[in-house]
Amino acid sequence: MQTEQPTTHSVPYPLQDELAQGLLGRLARLNGLSSFNTVSKLLTEYSHRGNSIPQLWQLAEICRMDFFIFTANHSMLPILSPLTEKDCSFEEIHNRNQNILCNGLSIPKKQLRWCKTCSHLDIKKRGFSYWRRQHQINGVDWCIEHQHPLVCTSVESAIHSPGHTTTYGLEELNQTIITEETKYPAIQRLQNIMLGLLHRPIPIRFRAWSEAIANRISLRISISKEKILVSNLIREAFPATWLLRHFPDISGKDPKTRISGIDTAYMDIYRKHLSSLRCAAILAVLFDSAEHAMEALEAAESK
């Protein structure tokens, strides 16, 4: 028997780049709910399919949005799962992978992050601030728009808007480090590649990824007339402070040492070890711009 829908509720309109977990918080506040448990009950009550679909899609349903468009625009799944093994549609990928589907509200890090400047401007513009996906991108430890530090807080804080007293925590980095790190061209390319992956609704086929990377490595070898290790390129191109946080194995490596999953990134056996951050770092040192990197992937995808 179909569950009767609630007769009254207030539903927020999803904002650009709004994180689904933050949207859940807005739904709670609009309906006078104080916890995510009570929000879950509201979603299940409203949903035509109850608990038979993930909470991410229950949220999409109450917002009257297509499940897959909502997933692509408001979850972190495009970053959490950047590659796929087979040729299939976005719907088929996420219907098959129940583990990812059931973790649609997951984020790359264990904490939520927000920018004080974004929060201030949001309140000035619309009267409230909201949680952004781009602030949760692993490896991009600052606000891309303002180049300012991000404040870290617990995932449970999403019940409130950024800037609420309960959302204040430590800033991951100070402004001096951010200013220094973002001067590096490789860092600039990496953050734009990560944004490109975040906004790509369908994962890249591993075959296309492998072809684009292998072709670029071959080109680099033909120009330099010697073999190259991508891990060495990463060590040379990225700031030491950033490498220590995200690639400590590369930071102190011997130049002759190969790093599994980096120097073997185009090999099929290592595909499961390729996170979006590894992909972006590799692309950032093999291509001279984020645009060229994404174009190479799209060209390989179209074959």
Side-chain angles (χ1 to χ4, degrees):
M1 181 177 177
Q2 181 174 308
T3 303
E4 184 180 353
Q5 294 184 11
T7 55
T8 60
H9 56 262
S10 297
V11 179
Y13 183 80
L15 301 171
Q16 183 177 1
D17 195 50
E18 184 169 16
L19 183 68
Q21 205 151 16
L23 186 60
L24 274 177
R26 281 213 291 137
L27 178 64
R29 296 194 298 275
L30 284 172
N31 290 277
L33 307 177
S34 59
S35 71
F36 283 121
N37 285 336
T38 52
V39 179
S40 296
K41 292 178 181 178
L42 171 65
L43 291 176
T44 300
E45 181 184 0
Y46 177 88
S47 176
H48 291 286
R49 287 179 263 184
N51 287 323
S52 67
I53 59 174
Q55 192 173 64
L56 179 70
W57 285 4
Q58 289 180 343
L59 184 57
E61 190 174 34
I62 201 171
C63 291
R64 298 185 179 181
M65 287 186 66
D66 176 86
F67 289 166
F68 305 106
I69 292 176
F70 186 86
T71 299
N73 293 334
H74 299 288
S75 80
M76 298 303 294
L77 288 179
I79 287 287
L80 295 172
S81 302
L83 302 178
T84 184
E85 297 178 28
K86 298 181 180 180
D87 303 344
C88 53
S89 69
F90 184 84
E91 291 89 340
E92 291 169 329
I93 290 165
H94 290 287
N95 277 333
R96 276 206 313 268
N97 198 329
Q98 292 299 314
N99 181 48
I100 294 178
L101 199 58
C102 292
N103 289 290
L105 294 175
S106 297
I107 55 177
K109 298 175 74 69
K110 294 181 179 180
Q111 291 184 307
L112 281 173
R113 304 189 298 185
W114 59 280
C115 168
K116 292 179 181 178
T117 304
C118 286
S119 176
H120 172 75
L121 293 175
D122 283 343
I123 293 172
K124 186 176 180 180
K125 178 180 179 180
R126 59 175 59 86
F128 64 91
S129 58
Y130 69 98
W131 300 93
R132 287 165 166 78
R133 290 194 304 163
Q134 67 171 345
H135 292 158
Q136 319 310 322
I137 298 175
N138 191 27
V140 182
D141 306 320
W142 47 83
C143 175
I144 294 175
E145 186 174 353
H146 302 108
Q147 308 286 288
H148 289 170
L150 294 172
V151 179
C152 297
T153 188
S154 67
V155 175
E156 292 74 21
S157 295
I159 198 75
H160 304 289
S161 60
H164 187 274
T165 53
T166 61
T167 66
Y168 273 88
L170 296 176
E171 293 181 352
E172 271 191 318
L173 300 175
N174 63 47
Q175 188 63 59
T176 301
I177 293 177
I178 292 173
T179 300
E180 183 60 32
E181 289 185 355
T182 52
K183 289 179 181 177
Y184 283 69
I187 284 287
Q188 296 170 17
R189 292 194 294 272
L190 178 132
Q191 72 174 18
N192 290 331
I193 290 168
M194 290 294 275
L195 276 178
L197 294 174
L198 181 64
H199 295 151
R200 196 177 194 281
I202 301 175
I204 300 161
R205 291 175 301 153
F206 184 82
R207 184 175 65 182
W209 157 265
S210 179
E211 179 182 326
I213 297 305
N215 288 345
R216 194 64 180 181
I217 290 175
S218 296
L219 177 62
R220 292 289 294 265
I221 291 175
S222 67
I223 293 174
S224 63
K225 305 300 181 183
E226 60 182 20
K227 291 184 178 180
I228 62 171
L229 289 180
V230 175
S231 58
N232 287 343
L233 298 179
I234 292 175
R235 189 185 60 175
E236 295 164 4
F238 286 91
T241 51
W242 185 88
L243 285 174
L244 281 172
R245 293 198 306 275
H246 298 289
F247 291 98
D249 53 343
I250 292 179
S251 178
K253 73 180 286 289
D254 182 275
K256 296 180 180 179
T257 302
R258 293 165 63 90
I259 302 296
S260 178
I262 295 291
D263 296 306
T264 54
Y266 56 90
M267 297 173 63
D268 186 68
I269 191 173
Y270 293 104
R271 65 183 180 274
K272 293 182 180 179
H273 301 288
L274 277 170
S275 66
S276 56
L277 183 56
R278 283 177 177 250
C279 291
I282 292 167
L283 292 170
V285 295
L286 290 180
F287 292 88
D288 56 7
S289 73
E291 291 75 16
H292 289 164
M294 298 306 292
E295 286 171 3
L297 292 177
E298 296 299 340
E301 276 278 59
S302 64
K303 294 182 179 179

